[in-house]
Amino acid sequence: RITGEKLMNIKKGKVVFETTKVDVTDPGYDRSIWCRLSVDIVPGEYIYKAYIRKVKNWGNRVTKLSIINVSAKSRARLGKCVGEIGVDAGLAGFFENKPDYGDKAWWEICDTLNDYPGVYEAKKDNAFKCNGVLSTSGVGDGFYAVYELLDWKDNRCGYTILFI
C-alpha cells in the first residue's frame, strides 16, 4: 500500500476482445511508437477494474487499471512484469486493433474525455473506433509497468497497468 493513500472507489465494467492480441498503450500513440506493448490474450469477455485512491499531495488518482477474463472471476493475482509503456497524453489502456488517429480523430476523442480521474470504454462505434478500456494514468505522463495476471492454476487471465 502506498503511504498516504486511501481507497476511494473501484470502477468496473465489461469489454469483449475478439482477437488474440491487445495493445497496451497511450491511445494517442501510433503503431510505430516503441514504448507500447502488444500482449497475448484469450478472446472473450473481460472485466475491467480501475482502482481509484486519494493519494497524498495528488488528490484522487487511478492507481491501476486491470482486465481480467471472466473465467478467472476475482481470483486473479499479480504475475511477472511483461514490460513498460510510455504515456504522453495522461491516458493509457487496453485496445483491440487500435487505429492510428489523425489530428481530427484525436480531437474528437479528447472531446469525450471529461472525467478526472476517468475510466472510459473504447468501442468500435464511438470515437475510438476499436474495443477496449482506458483511464487517466496515475500522476500523468511517464513510464508504467504492465503485469500479467494469473488464475489459481497459474494460467494468464489478464493484465494490469500499475500507475502508482
Side-chain angles (χ1 to χ4, degrees), residues 54-71:
K54 186 170 186 169
V55 178
K56 187 176 182 178
N57 299 325
W58 287 95
N60 293 342
R61 298 286 187 230
V62 176
T63 58
K64 68 180 174 178
L65 177 65
S66 302
I67 57 169
I68 305 160
N69 190 288
V70 295
S71 65

Side-chain angles (χ1 to χ4, degrees), residues 2-9 51-63 116-118 136-140 164:
I2 300 166
T3 303
E5 72 172 348
K6 180 181 175 187
L7 180 62
M8 299 294 289
N9 194 0
Y51 296 81
I52 299 171
R53 297 179 186 270
K54 186 170 186 169
V55 178
K56 187 176 182 178
N57 299 325
W58 287 95
N60 293 342
R61 298 286 187 230
V62 176
T63 58
Y116 198 89
T136 52
S137 55
V139 292
I164 298 177

Side-chain angles (χ1 to χ4, degrees), residues 72-147:
K73 303 194 176 160
S74 62
R75 296 185 181 159
R77 61 182 173 78
L78 209 58
K80 70 178 181 178
C81 180
V82 297
E84 289 185 333
I85 60 167
V87 171
D88 191 38
L91 302 163
F94 302 94
F95 304 91
E96 180 177 59
N97 297 319
K98 189 193 86 55
D100 294 343
Y101 302 114
D103 289 343
K104 182 180 178 192
W106 180 242
W107 286 113
E108 286 178 22
I109 288 170
C110 290
D111 286 344
T112 68
L113 309 177
N114 52 17
D115 290 335
Y116 198 89
V119 181
Y120 309 95
E121 289 185 24
K123 296 185 179 185
K124 291 178 186 175
D125 62 354
N126 67 16
F128 289 97
K129 309 289 188 248
C130 65
N131 288 336
V133 60
L134 69 150
S135 73
T136 52
S137 55
V139 292
D141 300 345
F143 285 92
Y144 296 104
V146 178
Y147 287 83

